Amino acid sequence: MAKSITNFSTYSTLNCHKAKYAKPWNCFIFFRQSPITCLLSLNLDVPRSTKVGVYPMLDENAKICKFCEVGDLGNAVELLKMSQKSELDLNTYCSILQLCAEYKRLQEGKMVHSIIYSSGIPVEGVLGAKLVFMYVSCGDLREGRRIFDHIHSDKAFLWNLMMSQYAKISDYRESIYLFRKMQKLGIKGNSYTFSCILKCFAILGRIGECKKIHGYVYKLGFGSCNSVVNSLIAAYFKNGGVDSAHKLFDELGDRDVVSWNSMISGCVMNGFSHTALEFFIQMLMLRVAVDLATLVNALVACANIGSLSLGRAIHGHGVKTCFSREVMFNNTLLDMYSKCGDLTDAIQAFEKMGRTTVVSWTSLIAAYVREGLCDDAIRLFYEMESKGVIPDVYSMTSVLHACACSNSLDKGREVHNYFRRNNLSLSLPVSNALMDMYAKCGSMEEAYLVFSRIPVKDTVSWNIMIGGYSKNSLPNEALKLFVEMQEESRPDGFTMAGILPACGSLAALEIGRGIHGRILRNGYSSDLHVANALIDMYVKCGSLVHAQLLFDMIPEKDLITWTVMIAGYGMHGFGNEAIATFQKMRIAGIKPDEITFTSILYACSHSGLLNEGWEFFNSMISECNMKPELEHYACMVDLLARTGNLSKAYKFIETMPIKPDATIWGALLCGCRIHHDVDLAEKVAEHVFELEPENTGYYVLLANIYAEAKKWEEVKKLRERIGKRGLKKSPGCSWIEVQGKFTIFVSADTSHPQAERIASLLNNLRIKMKNEGYSPKMRYALINADDLEKETALCGHSEKLAMAFGILNLPPGRTIRVTKNLRVCGDCHEMAKFMSKTAKREIILRDSSRFHHFKDGFCSCRDFW
């Protein structure tokens, strides 16, 4: 009798999960028994009396079969080659083919096949099935399929074998093709057939087909078969049919451990980790024997909801039931402790592992990153490598994430060089992680170099680059890449959330509106990240009305939504509205964070709300138990300085518990310019120059203070100092968007085709202003010259040129939106007020500090900026 293989593994959530991470939500429960087991469990042995020849050679057949029974393939094959082929029976060939399959010996199997072929024995029936089984088991699916197609078998077990093998190599469509052909030929499937095909339909997302199979199997009487129902439950969970899966489970009378595992893993997969743990506890109460897959799934659920106490209990249960010896259990345990914030126990679990894998090391690396210990995570990566553990895609992306989180460009480069030196393959996920690291560390050139070398980019690749350009103040590059992306890939919600900040940076309202339309057409507006990005875009493009409308339409706002709106009101000079929004946020039960407080303090500063600003600053410390950071102190200094409390601001800086940086001293220096305090400005400037000696902006600011005070000799000395240091001033420029195209102006720009018309309009406006008693504010000319030259210089300021261009080129009544890279000067501010009244236009001017809304001769800032 040929030796039967009876130790094939049962299909479960555990052994069907091939990923290197213990994430059971990616797996399914399909079979209680594999199709191969089904094949072998049938009696395929041929009676000894069935012969190829007339006279039996019982001795030769018996000897070969005896060798097969004891597993001696070598002698069995040698004896087969020496025997008279015509005297061997089919059972002998089947026995030796069985052993070849069992030992995965393809070469010997091919030799047996060659002997069968040369002997002229028909390859059909049981012998054909054994040959198919041998080839498939030995990994030669192509030859197995060739024989399978030739023998035209009507046995379900052989079709199951082929379908399952195609499913194993992820060729689910071929499995489905065979199933369709099987139906067409009228071959009835069994429980293994339906379990396999449900897996294929589920993975391909064909929920409609799963429902059809559901009805079909019930008609055939498989509705009470656990393996089929378990596969149905897994299929529904895979495609989000949580209610259908629950209903099937409730109707299942004889539930086994796989049924319970299906429910636990399915709930975890669909984000119902609390429900998964309820099933786990119910399973324990009913005394259902748990297996390794049960505990792994339960640990993942604990990790997802941060249930450390239950995770520890499962750990104890695993130790008692000896599952703590399993690598998968230990890896999932380590991951659970890590995600629950218990780094100590995670390290302890790692150290107690009898055998560690790359998954173990990667989980610990990720644990260090979560705790902000990025340097330790990077060190651990190199330690892993020194132990001879070869990094995989997950460990490589984890260490790059550590470099990105620590903003360590040098270490990121070292890791990249390590990959090169060791010829580690840069798969798409690793390339994406590299780009993300470079982008977050501010090196978009290196990010683009990686991007350009990716042969086939996915949506993530494009999103990383577009988002990276936006966050690194390269909006033009982001928009250009967005256009290129649409030719090769379909943008998604993340793309929209990444490109909208670029529109906001450029104040590109028309482009932003176009993207908004695309968001609506593709159904991305329900994504809160996208909605928040839209509000922020409209705020920064000066369309506060649209931002408010979108804000009001969001049913459930998160902290970011509220903070964006508060900041928006602040930068537009509506401090009281910002405060009202902050109070509504508190009523809604949302707790502010450090960024929210920065936004509300900024709003108070730009609206001169001194008392309110102090209240928020104090409540941040006393009510919310937050330690103010440099940004919060900078807002308070700015608030004091803008309101004329320069001495108080100086004393406030001196009493700060943390060392002030250049931003804080710079805020006071701006206040000195507003209130023309030259003596204090000189004192404050020395602090600024000491902290940031290469920042040209602060030298220019002091030079402006001197120029406004007509201290031309000091201006000259300061400019000489700038020249000696080799510093260059950022040129002032303004731009305006007309019909989706940007026109940029610099001071005294005469190169524009409409330069004469613009100059004529500005001259006429200045004449009208003089006739109404307005005199130019000469101190803003910042040059040592006569009044005529100063007035000419003032007329050439870039924001005036852009506003005049808008009046000439935009339809009557259309709002003029201008953006300037520097702070608007006082004379341009007065001119903008006059323009809004004379031209009967609303003008929205965004400078480097805030927004100015000009209407009917008034500005929203109330001349406080």
Side-chain angles (χ1 to χ4, degrees):
M1 180 72 108
K3 181 180 176 183
S4 297
I5 300 175
T6 58
N7 61 345
F8 278 82
S9 299
T10 301
Y11 278 69
S12 68
T13 53
L14 176 61
N15 59 30
C16 77
H17 180 61
K18 299 298 183 185
K20 293 191 178 181
Y21 278 110
K23 293 185 179 176
W25 54 85
N26 286 333
C27 61
F28 293 86
I29 301 89
F30 297 106
F31 313 112
R32 291 298 307 277
Q33 188 179 24
S34 77
I36 295 177
T37 311
C38 172
L39 174 66
L40 296 176
S41 65
L42 297 174
N43 185 8
L44 297 181
D45 295 331
V46 182
R48 297 287 174 95
S49 59
T50 305
K51 305 292 190 299
V52 176
V54 179
Y55 300 103
M57 284 187 63
L58 295 177
D59 290 342
E60 295 299 318
N61 284 310
K63 285 179 183 178
I64 293 171
C65 289
K66 190 66 179 175
F67 280 131
C68 289
E69 285 176 10
V70 298
D72 191 346
L73 180 61
N75 279 324
V77 171
E78 286 300 318
L79 188 56
L80 180 71
K81 289 192 290 186
M82 292 186 295
S83 301
Q84 292 291 324
K85 309 306 179 290
S86 61
E87 302 300 329
L88 296 176
D89 61 27
L90 292 181
N91 188 68
T92 303
Y93 287 115
C94 288
S95 296
I96 201 164
L97 286 171
Q98 173 74 29
L99 196 59
C100 291
E102 190 175 338
Y103 287 173
K104 304 288 189 294
R105 300 289 288 271
L106 181 61
Q107 187 175 351
E108 286 82 351
K110 284 182 175 180
M111 188 180 296
V112 175
H113 187 188
S114 176
I115 292 170
I116 292 170
Y117 180 78
S118 63
S119 301
I121 303 172
V123 175
E124 57 188 11
V126 175
L127 182 60
K130 275 292 183 184
L131 271 169
V132 172
F133 175 68
M134 183 276 295
Y135 276 114
V136 169
S137 299
C138 293
D140 193 343
L141 182 56
R142 178 178 293 180
E143 183 62 18
R145 176 63 181 273
R146 189 189 67 78
I147 298 170
F148 173 80
D149 290 340
H150 177 73
I151 62 176
H152 303 295
S153 175
D154 60 352
K155 304 297 182 183
F157 69 83
L158 203 58
W159 289 83
N160 294 343
L161 172 67
M162 297 305 297
M163 285 193 295
S164 66
Q165 291 306 306
Y166 279 114
K168 282 180 182 178
I169 63 171
S170 302
D171 192 349
Y172 306 109
R173 287 180 172 80
E174 190 61 25
S175 294
I176 293 169
Y177 168 78
L178 287 173
F179 174 71
R180 299 289 191 213
K181 189 174 181 181
M182 186 180 179
Q183 286 184 308
K184 191 175 180 181
L185 293 172
I187 301 168
K188 289 185 179 180
N190 56 27
S191 59
Y192 308 106
T193 312
F194 298 119
S195 295
C196 178
I197 205 64
L198 280 167
K199 169 188 174 181
C200 298
F201 282 133
I203 290 175
L204 293 175
R206 299 186 186 178
I207 188 65
E209 298 289 350
C210 291
K211 289 178 179 177
K212 288 179 183 178
I213 297 293
H214 186 171
Y216 186 49
V217 297
Y218 269 67
K219 284 181 183 178
L220 294 177
F222 292 106
S224 59
C225 178
N226 273 28
S227 63
V228 176
V229 177
N230 291 341
S231 299
L232 273 169
I233 290 171
Y236 279 123
F237 269 129
K238 175 69 177 176
N239 291 278
V242 178
D243 292 337
S244 298
H246 274 260
K247 187 178 178 182
L248 276 170
F249 180 79
D250 292 340
E251 292 173 351
L252 188 60
D254 183 24
R255 300 165 186 158
D256 58 14
V257 66
V258 179
S259 310
W260 289 92
N261 289 349
S262 299
M263 292 305 295
I264 295 170
S265 64
C267 288
V268 170
M269 181 198 311
N270 285 275
F272 298 102
S273 292
H274 285 284
T275 308
L277 291 174
E278 288 173 8
F279 275 109
F280 173 69
I281 292 167
Q282 188 181 353
M283 189 179 179
L284 294 177
M285 290 173 65
L286 294 173
R287 300 185 181 279
V288 180
V290 301
D291 61 9
L292 178 57
T294 317
L295 297 185
V296 166
N297 286 322
L299 283 172
V300 173
C302 291
N304 289 347
I305 64 173
S307 180
L308 183 59
S309 56
L310 184 55
R312 284 194 176 122
I314 295 170
H315 183 181
H317 187 78
V319 171
K320 289 178 184 176
T321 51
C322 297
F323 287 121
S324 59
R325 300 171 186 170
E326 300 287 342
V327 173
M328 180 176 280
F329 178 83
N330 288 325
N331 287 341
T332 313
L333 185 69
L334 194 162
D335 191 58
M336 182 276 295
Y337 280 126
S338 164
K339 288 178 179 174
C340 290
D342 191 341
L343 182 60
T344 303
D345 277 350
I347 295 170
Q348 196 173 50
F350 179 81
E351 290 174 345
K352 286 184 178 179
M353 284 186 187
R355 182 169 68 90
T356 57
T357 65
V358 67
V359 179
S360 319
W361 286 91
T362 303
S363 296
L364 192 58
I365 290 169
Y368 277 113
V369 176
R370 285 190 193 98
E371 294 298 312
L373 303 171
C374 296
D375 289 341
D376 290 323
I378 298 165
R379 174 191 56 76
L380 198 66
F381 175 81
Y382 287 114
E383 185 181 337
M384 174 189 78
E385 187 269 339
S386 69
K387 300 282 186 184
V389 179
I390 299 172
D392 64 358
V393 62
Y394 301 104
S395 57
M396 291 164 76
T397 53
S398 294
V399 72
L400 288 169
H401 181 58
C403 297
C405 290
S406 62
N407 199 29
S408 178
L409 180 59
D410 289 338
K411 288 181 179 176
R413 284 171 177 156
E414 285 177 15
V415 171
H416 192 180
N417 287 331
Y418 167 82
F419 294 165
R420 291 192 190 106
R421 286 196 308 271
N422 290 274
N423 295 318
L424 294 175
S425 175
L426 295 185
S427 62
L428 185 57
V430 176
S431 294
N432 287 342
L434 269 170
M435 288 190 301
D436 185 61
M437 180 275 295
Y438 281 126
K440 285 177 179 173
C441 293
S443 180
M444 289 308 299
E445 295 85 358
E446 288 170 288
Y448 185 77
L449 196 61
V450 176
F451 177 79
S452 63
R453 290 175 178 171
I454 299 175
V456 181
K457 304 168 182 68
D458 63 0
T459 306
V460 176
S461 312
W462 292 95
N463 289 348
I464 289 169
M465 288 302 297
I466 290 169
Y469 279 131
S470 291
K471 289 172 186 173
N472 284 283
S473 302
L474 296 165
N476 288 307
E477 288 81 352
L479 287 168
K480 181 183 176 184
L481 204 64
F482 178 67
V483 173
E484 290 178 20
M485 178 187 182
Q486 294 173 72
E487 296 174 359
E488 296 186 28
S489 183
R490 185 170 181 243
D492 60 10
F494 292 102
T495 317
M496 302 305 174
I499 195 60
L500 285 168
C503 299
S505 296
L506 291 170
L509 182 60
E510 294 304 316
I511 296 174
R513 280 177 176 161
I515 293 171
H516 188 180
R518 183 165 189 153
I519 288 168
L520 293 171
R521 288 192 298 273
N522 289 278
Y524 299 137
S525 55
S526 58
D527 186 329
L528 192 56
H529 295 293
V530 176
N532 290 341
L534 270 171
I535 295 171
D536 185 62
M537 182 274 293
Y538 278 118
V539 161
K540 289 175 180 173
C541 288
S543 186
L544 199 58
V545 174
H546 284 97
Q548 179 67 64
L549 283 170
L550 278 171
F551 177 81
D552 292 338
M553 288 169 65
I554 297 175
E556 292 188 19
K557 306 169 180 68
D558 64 2
L559 179 60
I560 296 173
T561 317
W562 290 98
T563 303
V564 167
M565 204 64 229
I566 292 166
Y569 280 127
M571 69 177 68
H572 283 267
F574 299 108
N576 290 318
E577 287 80 355
I579 291 171
T581 305
F582 185 92
Q583 290 168 344
K584 287 178 184 176
M585 179 190 74
R586 296 308 307 270
I587 293 169
I590 305 292
K591 184 181 177 182
D593 64 1
E594 289 82 358
I595 299 173
T596 314
F597 273 108
T598 302
S599 300
I600 194 64
L601 290 173
Y602 175 92
C604 293
S605 170
H606 281 260
S607 295
L609 302 173
L610 183 60
N611 294 331
E612 292 85 346
W614 275 116
E615 286 178 15
F616 284 118
F617 184 77
N618 292 328
S619 71
M620 177 185 178
I621 301 168
S622 59
E623 293 178 24
C624 297
N625 297 316
M626 290 182 190
K627 223 177 200 180
E629 298 174 1
L630 284 169
E631 293 84 357
H632 306 109
Y633 284 111
C635 286
M636 291 309 298
V637 171
D638 190 55
L639 176 55
L640 288 166
R642 285 176 184 275
T643 52
N645 295 285
L646 299 177
S647 299
K648 286 183 180 179
Y650 192 86
K651 289 177 183 176
F652 180 79
I653 294 172
E654 288 184 318
T655 57
M656 279 171 52
I658 51 180
K659 185 180 178 182
D661 65 356
T663 304
I664 288 174
W665 287 112
L668 182 52
L669 190 61
C670 286
C672 292
R673 181 187 179 184
I674 293 168
H675 299 285
H676 314 297
D677 191 331
V678 179
D679 293 335
L680 183 59
E682 291 177 330
K683 190 176 178 181
V684 171
E686 289 308 313
H687 288 287
V688 178
F689 296 157
E690 183 182 348
L691 290 166
E692 291 191 7
E694 304 300 316
N695 192 327
T696 315
Y698 292 123
Y699 292 97
V700 173
L701 181 56
L702 183 59
N704 290 342
I705 293 170
Y706 282 140
E708 289 175 14
K710 297 185 179 180
K711 292 193 171 187
W712 302 112
E713 193 60 36
E714 282 77 2
V715 172
K716 183 181 177 183
K717 289 178 183 177
L718 196 58
R719 284 177 175 167
E720 287 174 354
R721 185 175 175 182
I722 293 171
K724 285 179 183 177
R725 284 187 167 271
L727 304 176
K728 292 182 179 179
K729 177 190 172 185
S730 298
C733 69
S734 300
W735 60 92
I736 183 171
E737 184 184 15
V738 176
Q739 295 181 346
K741 294 181 180 179
F742 289 95
T743 303
I744 303 172
F745 295 92
V746 295
S747 295
D749 190 354
T750 58
S751 62
H752 194 275
Q754 298 184 36
E756 290 185 9
R757 292 181 66 203
I758 292 168
S760 176
L761 175 62
L762 289 173
N763 286 331
N764 290 335
L765 285 169
R766 190 164 293 280
I767 291 168
K768 285 183 181 179
M769 290 172 73
K770 282 184 177 180
N771 291 337
E772 292 185 18
Y774 166 83
S775 59
K777 298 183 182 297
M778 299 301 182
R779 68 174 184 269
Y780 293 111
L782 304 179
I783 57 173
N784 185 14
D786 59 32
D787 286 351
L788 182 60
E789 286 181 280
K790 286 184 178 181
E791 190 171 339
T792 303
L794 288 171
C795 276
H797 280 193
S798 63
E799 56 266 55
K800 287 193 185 80
L801 300 176
M803 288 187 289
F805 178 80
I807 291 174
L808 291 170
N809 292 276
L810 287 170
R814 181 72 62 85
T815 300
I816 297 168
R817 303 173 189 275
V818 173
T819 306
K820 185 179 181 182
N821 66 331
L822 303 176
R823 187 176 179 271
V824 64
C825 81
D827 188 72
C828 290
H829 193 268
E830 291 299 312
M831 174 67 89
K833 287 197 288 186
F834 188 79
M835 279 182 169
S836 70
K837 181 176 72 172
T838 304
K840 294 188 168 116
R841 298 275 196 129
E842 184 177 359
I843 299 173
I844 299 176
L845 174 61
R846 187 181 103 181
D847 67 8
S848 60
S849 178
R850 60 173 298 150
F851 277 91
H852 300 267
H853 291 249
F854 300 99
K855 190 175 182 180
D856 300 327
F858 296 95
C859 181
S860 61
C861 73
R862 301 178 300 282
D863 297 335
F864 184 89
W865 86 98

